């Protein structure tokens, strides 16, 4: 079993898509271990996305991720990182496969409805950024 991290981003939360996205997650045999709705502060967003600090889209990304509530989640299952990345679809929704979360719900490359860890190592870092160990049930 493996764990991965997921964010249902502000665009999807605003459009009341949490349940729809979670249905896709659960139908792919991933279990939702922890889930909470929250607002990301500017400081939290800057720290979380620090890997992109020198990229031209950094400020726009921080502004978008702090524009409304989001849903952070810990998912568990066999090959959870790869499985979740597959059901999310490509970052650019135009390039995403049919039936993926981003093909179904993304509004743009930035407002692409979901985030998922890109490796098991990053999943562990991202999970501990948002969740205490006692929250994982």
């Amino acid at each position: 079993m493996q764990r991965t991290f997921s964010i249902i981003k502000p665009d999807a939360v605003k459009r009341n898509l949490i349940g729809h996205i979670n249905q896709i997650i659960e139908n792919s045999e991933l279990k939702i271990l922890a889930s909470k709705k929250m607002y990301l502060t500017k400081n939290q967003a800057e720290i979380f996305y620090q890997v992109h600090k020198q990229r031209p889209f950094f400020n726009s990304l921080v502004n978008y991720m702090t524009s409304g509530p989001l849903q952070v989640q810990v998912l568990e299952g066999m090959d959870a990182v790869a499985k979740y990345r597959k059901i999310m679809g490509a970052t650019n929704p135009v390039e995403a496969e049919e039936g993926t979360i981003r093909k179904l719900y993304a509004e743009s490359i930035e407002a692409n409805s979901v985030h998922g860890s890109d490796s098991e190592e990053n999943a562990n870092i991202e999970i501990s950024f948002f969740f205490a160990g006692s929250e994982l049930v």
Side-chain angles (χ1 to χ4, degrees):
M1 289 302 219
Q2 185 182 66
R3 291 180 178 172
T4 193
F5 177 72
S6 166
I7 299 176
I8 301 176
K9 295 181 178 181
D11 68 283
V13 172
K14 181 180 181 182
R15 291 178 290 138
N16 202 31
L17 296 174
I18 295 170
H20 296 282
I21 292 169
N22 282 343
Q23 189 66 57
I24 294 169
I25 290 169
E26 290 178 333
N27 286 345
S28 72
E29 299 179 3
L30 290 170
K31 180 180 177 182
I32 300 169
L33 291 184
S35 182
K36 62 185 173 184
K37 188 182 282 187
M38 63 180 291
Y39 283 94
L40 202 56
T41 67
K42 182 178 181 187
N43 185 54
Q44 287 171 318
E46 288 174 343
I47 293 168
F48 187 75
Y49 288 107
Q50 68 185 344
V51 67
H52 299 302
K53 187 149 182 78
Q54 301 306 317
R55 311 287 293 274
F57 60 82
F58 178 75
N59 289 328
S60 176
L61 176 61
V62 168
N63 289 336
Y64 162 63
M65 291 301 290
T66 59
S67 68
L70 43 83
Q71 188 86 9
V72 294
Q73 302 188 133
V74 179
L75 312 177
E76 184 178 70
M78 295 298 294
D79 299 316
V81 172
K83 187 175 285 186
Y84 188 54
R85 293 195 65 77
K86 181 170 178 52
I87 66 170
M88 282 192 315
T91 301
N92 183 345
V94 173
E95 298 170 359
E97 289 183 31
E98 291 298 325
T100 62
I101 295 167
R102 289 177 173 154
K103 188 66 164 188
L104 291 167
Y105 301 122
E107 296 179 314
S108 67
I109 291 176
E110 184 175 77
N112 62 11
S113 300
V114 289
H115 162 87
S117 302
D118 62 2
S119 68
E120 190 171 7
E121 178 184 358
N122 283 338
N124 292 329
I125 293 167
E126 293 174 346
I127 289 167
S128 64
F129 187 87
F130 287 99
F131 290 95
S134 62
E135 294 179 288
L136 307 178
V137 292

